[in-house]
Amino acid sequence: MSDSTFEPKIIGFFCNWCTYAGADLAGVSRLQYPSNIRVIRVMCSGTVSPHHVLRAFQKGADGVLIGGCHIGDCHYLRGNYMTVKRMRFLQDLLKFTGFEPGRLHLEWISAAEGPKFAQTVRDFTEKIKKIGPSRLIAAVKAA
Amino acid sequence: MDKLRAKVRSLLTEGKVAGYLGYLIKDGHPLPHFFTKENLAEVDQAMVAPDSARYPLDKLLIALAGRYPEAIFAIQVRGCDERGLNELYKWGQLDPEKVVPVGVACTQNQADYCECPGPWASVVDYGEKCLPVAKSRRVERIDTLAEQDAFQEWLAAFKRCIKCYGCRDVCPMCFCKECSLEHEDLMSTGQLPPDTIFQLVRAIHMAGRCIDCGLCEETCPADIPLRVLYKKANALVKDLFDYDVGSPGAGPSPWKVLGEDATLEAKPM
């Protein structure tokens, strides 16, 4: 599949209080961003288990974007401390097993950062398009 | 062996422990055995498990302690088993006041085979301390592979999985009553090989918890190099959170507390 026709599937796990509201702001501000992203709203990014991320990859996601409140702004005070611990660990584990760690990205986006939200989704989609289809999906299909 | 037997005998006769979890030859096989004061003569046959016949005694102790929460038990521990005890104390599965370790030091052969960084218990009642192995060559080899090659190698290993759950069932650190590997919404059912992420999910659960006893790998009928995966997971936990698994002074597991500060930053895109 060539780069020009490859439309990646991207799963976004966004926290209810910041990034999801940021996405809302991007929407009402009529900011354009690619429709490759499928959003799942969670109450806190700290509730996203690495298992959910891996499940997304297994089920055909080319990229997973996690969005949470900036450190210090968490609605639950310190929930996102766990998010960054888990995702940094998972990225390193994915690297060790050759699972393309760049497909997982964590970004802090506040409710006021509509433009940052749109830009992040644009950049991430562009990055995944450049990396190409997921190695894991190809392997699953071949099996 | 005399020193170990004498210690066990005195613990039992003085009534300090309700029983001792060790090994005995039964029908020609070294098997786990529960020694009690009533059958004191059996202590003369108490032994240390040969390197090739180890069992998850910690796991048996969890079951025992669950049934007799007030009783104190002695248990034979190698370095790994003792790390396991320390982790199980932290995770609330065992009470340190109710466990008396009977320590064993592993042979150099066993330590080299395990690439074990701590092949002896804090008390040694049998064996001589040998040289620890600080670095795992098996992990280092995978580290040097290109991403694509590492992927192909792991994929080939994961494809061999027959989903027998042997790795989980033998693991002394797998104490959950519900297992996410059996959760229908998180892991596909009714197909072989299982989801490619099966072993990765287990690796995540083992990170900061695996005591590196290696029973999973010895149990695996498909020869999946699970130990390499879990050794790396633990090494990452050490790098990221400076947490030593199974060390009594290491504080709570990084997965158990949010922490006072966010010590890590999100990686830039």
Side-chain angles (χ1 to χ4, degrees):
Chain A
M1 205 183 283
S2 69
D3 281 1
S4 56
T5 58
F6 169 56
E7 288 296 337
K9 275 186 198 162
I10 297 173
I11 303 293
F13 290 101
F14 297 149
C15 100
N16 177 61
W17 306 99
C18 294
T19 311
Y20 198 82
D24 230 8
L25 182 61
V28 296
S29 311
R30 300 259 189 272
L31 299 174
Q32 297 296 310
Y33 60 88
S35 58
N36 300 75
I37 191 151
R38 281 87 162 151
V39 178
I40 296 173
R41 180 174 68 104
V42 292
M43 287 313 284
C44 178
S45 59
T47 66
V48 180
S49 158
H51 199 154
H52 298 138
V53 177
L54 290 172
R55 175 73 172 171
F57 283 130
Q58 180 78 40
K59 283 295 182 182
D62 294 295
V64 174
L65 180 62
I66 316 277
C69 307
H70 287 269
I71 293 293
D73 292 349
C74 178
H75 186 78
Y76 307 100
L77 305 180
R78 291 183 297 176
N80 49 8
Y81 291 13
M82 190 55 86
T83 317
V84 68
K85 280 194 211 179
R86 284 177 176 161
M87 296 311 149
R88 280 291 301 274
F89 170 79
L90 185 54
Q91 282 167 334
D92 288 353
L93 189 73
L94 289 174
K95 185 174 185 326
F96 181 68
T97 42
F99 276 65
E100 303 165 296
R103 294 186 186 279
L104 170 61
H105 183 62
L106 169 63
E107 190 78 42
W108 308 130
I109 302 170
S110 84
E113 293 176 322
K116 182 181 178 184
F117 174 84
Q119 192 58 44
T120 303
V121 175
R122 278 197 292 270
D123 290 349
F124 190 58
T125 308
E126 206 45 51
K127 181 186 175 185
I128 299 298
K129 277 189 176 170
K130 211 173 275 172
I131 302 178
S134 156
R135 227 178 247 163
L136 176 60
I137 300 168
V140 169
K141 277 187 185 154
Chain B
M1 208 74 83
D2 287 341
K3 188 180 165 196
L4 182 141
R5 285 175 185 158
K7 176 171 174 174
V8 172
R9 192 174 293 114
S10 74
L11 282 172
L12 287 173
T13 49
E14 287 166 29
K16 283 186 180 155
V17 299
Y20 161 69
L21 209 46
Y23 291 87
L24 190 73
I25 298 272
K26 268 182 244 170
D27 302 329
H29 295 286
L31 291 172
H33 186 73
F34 187 61
F35 298 84
T36 55
K37 198 176 177 180
E38 286 69 40
N39 298 310
L40 205 58
E42 286 177 341
V43 176
D44 295 333
Q45 268 91 53
M47 56 178 295
V48 170
D51 293 345
S52 55
R54 298 177 295 129
Y55 287 84
L57 291 189
D58 288 359
K59 196 157 197 161
L60 302 180
L61 186 63
I62 297 175
L64 262 178
R67 195 182 283 184
Y68 304 101
E70 297 306 319
I72 299 175
F73 296 110
I75 178 173
Q76 184 182 116
V77 290
R78 290 172 183 254
C80 48
D81 297 322
E82 193 176 48
R83 289 195 289 277
L85 290 181
N86 287 331
E87 280 302 311
L88 291 166
Y89 298 153
K90 283 183 196 178
W91 289 95
Q93 300 301 309
L94 290 173
D95 181 354
E97 308 275 306
K98 305 260 186 268
V99 179
V100 179
V102 176
V104 172
C106 288
T107 59
Q108 190 68 55
N109 266 347
Q110 182 69 13
D112 292 343
Y113 159 75
C114 289
E115 298 182 323
C116 181
W120 56 77
S122 58
V123 283
V124 178
D125 298 304
Y126 176 81
E128 298 288 327
K129 284 187 181 181
C130 63
L131 293 173
V133 183
K135 285 217 163 120
S136 166
R137 282 201 197 142
R138 299 174 71 196
V139 172
E140 280 178 350
R141 187 185 71 80
I142 303 279
D143 268 331
T144 57
L145 291 180
E147 213 177 75
Q148 175 73 37
D149 296 340
F151 180 74
Q152 290 306 335
E153 192 163 327
W154 284 113
L155 191 66
F158 294 166
K159 268 187 184 167
R160 294 198 298 267
C161 179
I162 59 166
K163 214 179 181 187
C164 65
Y165 291 102
C167 49
R168 178 199 66 180
D169 292 342
V170 79
C171 179
M173 304 313 291
C174 270
F175 50 74
C176 299
K177 295 206 163 56
E178 285 177 64
C179 181
S180 65
L181 293 174
E182 289 184 76
H183 195 294
E184 277 184 22
D185 295 333
L186 288 170
M187 197 63 68
S188 305
T189 55
Q191 59 174 45
L192 277 182
D195 286 351
T196 318
I197 61 167
F198 187 92
Q199 276 78 14
L200 287 185
V201 171
R202 224 186 97 74
I204 287 165
H205 290 219
M206 282 296 109
R209 189 181 302 203
C210 175
I211 54 169
D212 199 13
C213 63
L215 291 175
C216 46
E217 196 171 273
E218 287 177 13
T219 302
C220 182
D223 285 332
I224 302 170
L226 294 166
R227 205 169 189 175
V228 179
L229 199 54
Y230 306 153
K231 270 179 189 280
K232 180 65 181 185
N234 265 0
L236 288 175
V237 168
K238 172 72 180 161
D239 287 350
L240 291 170
F241 313 115
D242 197 27
Y243 180 74
D244 283 304
V245 179
S247 149
S253 161
W255 306 121
K256 214 179 170 187
V257 291
L258 294 170
E260 291 306 314
D261 296 296
T263 49
L264 297 173
E265 282 175 24
K267 272 187 187 171
M269 196 183 291

